[in-house]
Amino acid sequence: MAAHIRRRLRKGATTTAVAAAAVAALAASQAPAATLADGPAGGGDPKAAGEDTASAEDDGAATGNSPYYTDLPPLVTPDKPGASSNLPVTGSAEAGIPASILAAYKQAEQTVRTTDPACRLPWQLLAAIGKVESGQARGGRVDANGTASPPILGPALNGQGFALIRDTDGGAYDSDAVHDRAVGPMQFIPSTWASWGQDANGDGRKDPNNIYDAALAAGRYLCANDRDLAIAADLDKAVLSYNRSNEYLRTVRSWFSYYQRGTHEIPDGTGKLPTAPSTPSPSPNPGTPSPGATPGPKPSPSPPGGKPTPGPSKPGDGSTSPTPKPPTSKPTPAETFGSLENAGTGPLRATAGQAFDERVAVLARNALGAPLGKVSVTFTVTGNTGTLFAGGKKTVTVRTGADGTATAPELRAGEKAGEFTVTAVAGTGRPRTLTYAATVTARQADTIARTDEKALVAAPGEKFADAVTVKATYKDAAAAGVAVTATMVKDPLGLFDNDKGPYFKDAAGKPVRTLTTLTTDAEGMLRLPEIFADGTEGTFKLRLTTEGGASVVIELTIQAPEGTAPEGTTPEETAPKETETPEA
């Protein structure tokens, strides 16, 4: 058990010597080198190697800068590349990750990818931190639900070699009503867990000793402050926010790179536990650590990116304040914007000139995945359909309510049919964006009919005296602005056009038998242009169709007036003959 007690490197010559030895061991082992970003902001080494450093953005550290395992990856890289949970047990024992622990890391990665995809959290980073913090939950000693058994507890943070953090949870998590202790596989102190705790296994509890809950909490914590963990500087900041020590960063980075090269699943409870603690024992009697105590840094009560209180003071700095003053410039995790999601917006379709039935709605969540209110969301219409929000605006800004939702004003379709987009943007620094596709369809009619039933007759070579007037409606209302096509046809279905009989005239006065530029007026009415008759007598059909599929077929008759001699005859030939009256 003594080997499980974390140790803090002493500052000065001891610190430098131990750090140098660790770096030398890493180089000799040919293990993956820790790639550090240049400069302090990226996790570089602005001070002597191994000396605690503070990030300008963070008032504390997730672990309270408490002890951790310093064991480096093995001399050889993993034998089995890949990361599938179905991989067989093979290769170095150090490369193996217990099944439940590996599953929890991957589940956390997938969950964060859904709620905060811009963070690009890799599960191997969680594995590296879990290795350094608790040796992968003491080699995977968890029950069927993923809960550490027995619970994993760090040493009391009583100010003796560690930060002084007096009890914040009444001993609920750490069974210590005097001082706080780090709890669980990812070593959260109770005050930090109160802000970042998650229920990832769906059992209704946020348990820091459950690897699924703890892994998701650690993932969200690392993504705080809009970090993109695919960027080296952001990843270094995230690791330093867990423990503000360059040696800690190098150790985590080494394991991170090692796991990226490959790993394999091993049965729970068979993992190898690290043996090298990082700090001297905080207990007056180092040979008798408290039962159940395991090495592992404790998250500060105020992790960077949104902790409720700043991290505990560093050991040896003379501070004895048990309750650091909470920072006023940083939001808590519950106040930190995390993600933007569709709040159930359905298909966006409307007829030209009409209002859309659906309104664009989004849901903002905080860094913990809960709905977040008072987030400003800007909605913008892009496209050339003429569609605008109510009030004639292309861009509007709406704040989310207490339920985290923001709904854009009503959209009114323009007069041009086509597609456009509505974009919702929220957040600063690394904004979250959602894009919705929308469609404007041409004005439609489901019915079109003549306004009277008067017979339409014209003599050969003449024009029809009576105009054709129709009315289009849609859902029993006048259908204004509906396009109508008029075609002379041979059959009611309009399958065959007619090249004889009635016709229209184009702008040049030439006969045409199809018109496609007709549109109903504001009352849904349409008066057709003049119709002319050629020399062919008979009954003909005019078919009118609308956008939307409504149609009507109208009969047009060409016949000579009564008493008119047929072509090629004389009036005398067609006049009635006198009937001879027999003589009496």
Side-chain angles (χ1 to χ4, degrees):
M1 294 297 293
H4 289 194
I5 300 297
R6 322 282 182 84
R7 303 181 180 223
R8 176 174 301 281
L9 293 174
R10 299 184 184 277
K11 294 185 179 180
T14 301
T15 298
T16 304
V18 174
V23 174
L26 174 60
S29 71
Q30 298 180 6
T35 304
L36 302 181
D38 293 334
D45 192 0
K47 297 185 181 180
E51 186 175 350
D52 289 339
T53 59
S55 166
E57 74 172 296
D58 301 324
D59 290 329
T63 65
N65 295 329
S66 45
Y68 53 88
Y69 288 125
T70 60
D71 294 41
L72 295 170
L75 296 177
V76 294
T77 56
D79 296 335
K80 187 73 175 180
S84 171
S85 60
N86 296 321
L87 288 175
V89 177
T90 184
S92 166
E94 287 287 10
I97 298 179
S100 293
I101 313 305
L102 181 61
Y105 295 150
K106 291 183 176 181
Q107 177 177 301
E109 178 192 62
Q110 291 299 320
T111 300
V112 174
R113 181 180 298 174
T114 299
T115 60
D116 189 5
C119 175
R120 296 191 279 184
L121 169 73
W123 67 262
Q124 292 92 340
L125 179 60
L126 296 175
I129 291 177
K131 178 71 171 179
V132 173
E133 291 299 327
S134 67
Q136 310 297 20
R138 292 185 307 211
R141 288 169 175 79
V142 296
D143 62 20
N145 295 319
T147 301
S149 179
I152 300 175
L153 298 175
L157 299 178
N158 55 13
Q160 300 182 37
F162 304 119
L164 173 61
I165 305 180
R166 293 199 171 95
D167 177 64
T168 61
D169 67 331
Y173 291 119
D174 56 12
S175 301
D176 189 333
V178 179
H179 297 98
D180 272 348
R181 297 170 180 259
V183 181
M186 305 305 280
Q187 290 289 276
F188 281 94
I189 58 175
S191 55
T192 299
W193 185 257
S195 295
W196 291 90
Q198 302 287 304
D199 176 19
N201 65 350
D203 64 356
R205 297 180 59 222
K206 296 179 180 180
D207 184 359
N209 266 296
N210 182 274
I211 184 58
Y212 292 95
D213 294 356
L216 180 56
R220 295 198 188 283
Y221 178 91
L222 293 168
C223 288
N225 286 340
D226 287 341
R227 296 190 187 102
D228 179 353
L229 299 182
I231 299 174
D234 277 6
L235 188 144
D236 289 350
K237 288 180 182 179
V239 175
L240 287 171
S241 77
Y242 225 85
N243 188 307
R244 297 193 306 173
S245 161
N246 284 325
E247 185 205 9
Y248 180 83
L249 173 62
R250 281 189 287 270
T251 306
V252 169
R253 274 287 204 166
S254 295
W255 282 108
F256 175 50
S257 181
Y258 181 73
Y259 286 136
Q260 283 184 312
R261 288 174 178 261
T263 185
H264 58 272
E265 177 186 296
I266 61 176
D268 288 347
T270 64
K272 181 178 179 181
L273 192 65
T275 58
S278 68
T279 68
S281 170
S283 170
N285 185 356
T288 57
S290 60
T294 58
K298 299 85 187 158
S300 84
S302 177
K307 292 303 179 184
T309 57
S313 56
K314 295 185 292 183
D317 65 358
S319 172
T320 59
S321 173
T323 308
K325 183 181 295 184
T328 58
S329 60
K330 298 179 182 178
T332 65
E335 298 169 334
T336 302
F337 177 51
S339 63
L340 192 67
E341 305 171 9
N342 184 356
T345 305
L348 296 171
R349 296 180 62 88
T351 302
Q354 303 299 311
F356 282 74
D357 292 334
E358 283 285 326
R359 293 172 64 182
V360 179
V362 299
L363 170 64
R365 294 187 183 276
N366 61 20
L368 301 176
L372 180 62
K374 298 182 180 180
V375 174
S376 294
V377 182
T378 299
F379 299 92
T380 303
V381 174
T382 304
N384 60 357
T385 64
T387 301
L388 298 170
F389 290 113
K393 297 180 179 180
K394 295 190 68 172
T395 299
V396 294
T397 299
V398 181
R399 300 187 76 185
T400 59
D403 63 352
T405 62
T407 302
E410 180 184 72
L411 281 167
R412 181 163 291 275
E415 291 298 331
K416 185 176 180 180
E419 296 182 349
F420 68 98
T421 60
V422 178
T423 303
V425 180
T428 58
R430 189 171 47 125
R432 277 63 160 182
T433 301
L434 290 177
T435 300
Y436 300 80
T439 303
V440 175
T441 59
R443 292 175 181 265
Q444 300 180 1
D446 52 23
T447 303
I448 185 170
R450 286 188 66 190
T451 57
D452 61 62
E453 297 182 356
K454 188 175 182 180
L456 299 168
V457 181
E462 301 295 331
K463 69 178 180 179
F464 288 79
D466 297 309
V468 176
T469 303
V470 295
K471 181 174 182 178
T473 59
Y474 182 70
K475 295 182 179 180
D476 297 326
V482 174
V484 179
T485 299
T487 306
M488 301 298 177
V489 295
K490 292 182 178 180
D491 61 294
L493 296 178
L495 299 178
F496 302 98
D497 293 353
N498 206 336
D499 58 357
K500 298 182 182 299
Y503 62 89
F504 302 103
K505 288 184 179 180
D506 63 14
K510 295 181 179 180
V512 293
R513 288 185 166 85
T514 298
L515 293 179
T516 59
T517 58
L518 306 174
T519 305
T520 60
D521 64 16
E523 303 298 326
M525 304 291 289
L526 172 63
R527 180 186 177 95
L528 269 62
E530 292 180 324
I531 302 174
F532 299 87
D534 64 6
T536 306
E537 294 190 54
T539 299
F540 301 88
K541 293 178 173 57
L542 167 62
R543 185 170 186 262
L544 303 178
T545 58
T546 71
E547 190 73 37
S551 66
V552 62
V553 176
I554 301 170
E555 287 192 350
L556 299 172
T557 302
I558 300 177
Q559 69 178 25
E562 291 185 7
T564 302
E567 188 174 348
T569 64
T570 64
E572 290 77 6
E573 293 175 321
T574 59
K577 294 183 179 180
E578 293 183 0
T579 303
E580 295 184 358
T581 302
E583 294 182 357

